[in-house]
Amino acid sequence: MTPKPAATEGALLHGGAGGGAPRHVAIIMDGNGRWAAKRGLPRVAGHRAGAEAVRKTLKAAVKNGVEVLTLYAFSSENWRRSEEEVSDLKGLLGYYLERELDELDREGVRLCLIGDHKAFGPQLVERLERAVEKTAHNDRLTLVVALNYGSRNEIASAARRLAAQVAAGELEPSDIDEARLGAELMTRDWPELDLLIRTSGEKRLSNFLLWQAAYAELTFTDTLWPDFDEAALRAALDEYAGRQRRFGGR
Ligand code: FPP
């Protein structure tokens, strides 16, 4: 595979500084549980409302010209939640796909996955892969859903593959640079990450797109994920447009 430009070069290619629209936006959707607790509801109700927010945000992203929207739906650490909650999240994902697939397709949305979704069991895996296949021809917006994803593991796997190539004599250690490693990541087919949004007031990356966020603008909102909507997305896009991206320069 031909390596893509190094992160910094890639970012400079599409810029976004001073008023541009971000091509690639990622969201850490946080606060479903607190949203439910505030209403005296079970956590699953928060996740259900979170799925509605995904629907609204996706429409808003299409409308606002975002090319790639990457959502952190299930981290590799989320397996530590109760069996019941994991099962609720899996069920919700399957239900969402069943209900929204035709609409996603009509809207020109291409669904892609990052992470190891195979861990979710044959039924959901089949549903996910069918949705990916059905929408593969779409090019209005790419929706990347991160499932059983962890960024450190993604980077370690990439390093392992490169090490195997070195061991096989196919690659020199000196050939390994940012571009070569970036080309091994699951996000290699999409433009550089421009904007990362985290909801619910937390200010952490939580093992999400660590490499890809190197030059991204970060925005944090106190809005809990289920309350996120077009106005909230617009606010983040406006904040992005108002920032000067320097990529380490002046
Ligand atoms: C974080 O809130 C949210 C999640 C771990 C799951 C995100 C899942 C969805 C929005 C539903 C389905 C997704 C798709 C793509 C249809 P939290 O539970 O950590 O909230 P808390 O910090 O308030 O407890």
Side-chain angles (χ1 to χ4, degrees):
M1 181 187 304
T2 323
K4 296 221 310 186
T8 45
E9 294 167 47
L12 284 167
L13 285 177
H14 58 83
R23 293 179 68 193
H24 186 172
V25 176
I27 309 182
I28 301 177
M29 308 181 289
D30 197 7
N32 293 352
R34 276 161 285 165
W35 183 93
K38 269 171 64 178
R39 289 162 179 77
L41 296 170
R43 293 182 62 82
V44 65
H47 294 317
R48 239 178 253 137
E52 275 309 303
V54 168
R55 210 171 56 80
K56 279 187 279 181
T57 304
L58 184 57
K59 272 191 184 293
V62 170
K63 195 169 141 194
N64 285 278
V66 172
E67 287 175 41
V68 180
L69 179 68
T70 301
L71 300 179
Y72 205 9
F74 195 97
S75 76
S76 43
E77 288 77 30
N78 283 154
W79 294 109
R80 292 190 207 131
R81 297 195 176 197
S82 73
E83 217 175 290
E84 185 189 359
E85 187 170 353
V86 169
S87 155
D88 284 341
L89 280 168
K90 288 201 300 194
L92 202 55
L93 203 61
Y95 173 74
Y96 179 90
L97 279 179
E98 199 67 16
R99 208 191 57 178
E100 297 294 327
L101 185 54
D102 288 343
E103 174 72 6
L104 289 181
D105 198 32
R106 263 197 306 279
E107 292 258 353
V109 173
R110 174 179 191 174
L111 177 71
C112 294
L113 305 173
I114 56 173
D116 181 14
H117 69 277
K118 300 269 188 209
F120 284 111
Q123 209 183 346
L124 185 53
V125 167
E126 205 230 300
R127 216 175 256 190
L128 285 163
E129 291 179 354
R130 202 155 17 97
V132 167
E133 227 170 84
K134 183 177 160 89
T135 59
H137 61 284
N138 291 332
D139 59 7
R140 195 154 170 225
L141 178 143
T142 299
L143 171 65
V144 181
V145 180
L147 288 173
N148 190 21
Y149 172 85
S151 189
R152 285 182 170 184
N153 181 54
E154 178 189 30
I155 295 168
S157 304
R160 218 164 25 243
R161 279 194 299 278
L162 292 174
Q165 289 177 38
V166 170
E170 297 159 8
L171 194 66
E172 289 295 324
S174 58
D175 291 335
I176 299 175
D177 57 10
E178 291 182 20
R180 186 76 70 159
L181 201 138
E184 290 293 324
L185 299 178
M186 295 168 183
T187 49
R188 62 183 159 265
D189 293 334
W190 306 305
E192 196 76 22
L193 181 63
D194 295 308
L195 171 63
L196 178 75
I197 302 168
R198 181 167 191 151
T199 62
S200 91
E202 307 292 344
K203 297 184 177 68
R204 290 186 293 279
L205 291 181
S206 298
N207 204 14
F208 187 49
L209 303 179
L210 302 180
W211 175 283
Q212 295 85 344
Y215 287 95
E217 293 295 325
L218 311 181
T219 67
F220 301 96
T221 169
D222 287 337
T223 303
L224 301 175
W225 175 249
D227 293 326
F228 199 87
D229 57 9
E230 176 162 12
L233 179 69
R234 276 245 49 104
L237 297 180
D238 288 348
E239 194 175 335
Y240 172 88
R243 292 194 191 170
Q244 290 292 321
R245 300 183 78 194
R246 295 189 206 282
F247 307 104
R250 296 213 37 100

